[in-house]
Amino acid sequence: MIMVRYTIKLTKDEVDELKSIIHKGSHTSLTFRAAYILLNCDEGEYSEKVTNDQISKVLKIGMRTIDRVKKKFFEEGLESALERRPSSRIYDSKVDGDIEAKLVTLCCSEPPEGFAKWSLRLLADKMVELNYIESISHVTVRSVLKKTNLSLGK
């Protein structure tokens, strides 16, 4: 396996942008961390070069993290190195309009004997018991009820 060494040489504008991120504004911790890593790894004319070992000790991060940020900057640019990559995962929804309607109807009905009102877990269990859906979590029930502005407390 060949070890690739990424040499970071920032322009004056990039250094200024990274310093402005560090000194002002509200940014994510990932953005701050990447900005500190890039500023300290800079080997250009505006740099104060620090070794990766020193950076990892001061920022309390691993050497691999530093290498990943440097690689991302080198291959994709400054903006990409500072921001988290958007997720490409596609989430399938179990709940469609028909299931939502059945859930709302069930929520508006009388609770089971021995209970004063429906709980999220009771609703989820009853939906499965009535074969409306194969499986559903109480968290999904909560999000559907929240989306439809229904409250179990009323």
Side-chain angles (χ1 to χ4, degrees), residues 94-109 118 123 127 130 132-133 136 140-141 143-145 147-148 150:
K94 283 185 176 182
V95 180
D96 58 6
D98 184 43
I99 300 295
E100 278 183 28
K102 289 176 180 177
L103 178 59
V104 170
T105 304
L106 185 61
C107 182
C108 294
S109 69
W118 285 103
L123 286 168
M127 292 284 290
L130 294 172
Y132 291 154
I133 193 167
I136 188 169
T140 305
V141 170
S143 63
V144 168
L145 295 179
K147 186 176 108 178
T148 57
L150 279 177

Side-chain angles (χ1 to χ4, degrees), residues 3-15:
M3 185 69 176
V4 179
R5 186 174 187 282
Y6 294 99
T7 304
I8 305 297
K9 292 187 178 179
L10 299 173
T11 64
K12 178 73 173 140
D13 291 337
E14 290 171 334
V15 170

Side-chain angles (χ1 to χ4, degrees), residues 3-154:
M3 185 69 176
V4 179
R5 186 174 187 282
Y6 294 99
T7 304
I8 305 297
K9 292 187 178 179
L10 299 173
T11 64
K12 178 73 173 140
D13 291 337
E14 290 171 334
V15 170
D16 292 341
E17 183 178 346
L18 291 172
K19 285 185 177 180
S20 72
I21 287 171
I22 290 171
H23 295 299
K24 62 184 174 191
S26 62
H27 303 281
T28 64
S29 59
L30 180 105
T31 303
F32 277 114
R33 184 182 69 191
Y36 276 113
I37 290 170
L38 291 172
L39 278 174
N40 286 307
C41 290
D42 183 22
E43 295 181 11
E45 60 183 275
Y46 308 102
S47 72
E48 301 167 15
K49 177 70 174 116
V50 181
T51 65
N52 285 2
D53 193 41
Q54 291 171 320
I55 295 169
S56 70
K57 284 180 183 173
V58 170
L59 296 179
K60 307 241 184 290
I61 56 175
M63 298 292 277
R64 186 71 186 105
T65 302
I66 296 169
D67 291 338
R68 277 194 302 268
V69 170
K70 288 166 66 172
K71 179 180 179 183
K72 197 169 181 186
F73 172 78
F74 194 78
E75 293 177 351
E76 301 174 27
L78 180 64
E79 294 303 317
S80 179
L82 294 176
E83 297 300 324
R84 186 177 302 273
R85 185 176 291 130
S87 174
S88 60
R89 183 173 171 193
I90 299 170
Y91 294 91
D92 293 330
S93 178
K94 283 185 176 182
V95 180
D96 58 6
D98 184 43
I99 300 295
E100 278 183 28
K102 289 176 180 177
L103 178 59
V104 170
T105 304
L106 185 61
C107 182
C108 294
S109 69
E110 287 296 315
E113 194 171 312
F115 294 93
K117 60 182 181 178
W118 285 103
S119 71
L120 297 175
R121 291 178 197 274
L122 272 174
L123 286 168
D125 292 342
K126 194 66 169 179
M127 292 284 290
V128 172
E129 183 182 317
L130 294 172
N131 291 325
Y132 291 154
I133 193 167
E134 195 173 305
S135 67
I136 188 169
S137 74
H138 67 282
V139 177
T140 305
V141 170
R142 183 196 66 79
S143 63
V144 168
L145 295 179
K146 183 175 182 177
K147 186 176 108 178
T148 57
N149 290 326
L150 279 177
S151 171
L152 294 176
K154 293 181 181 175

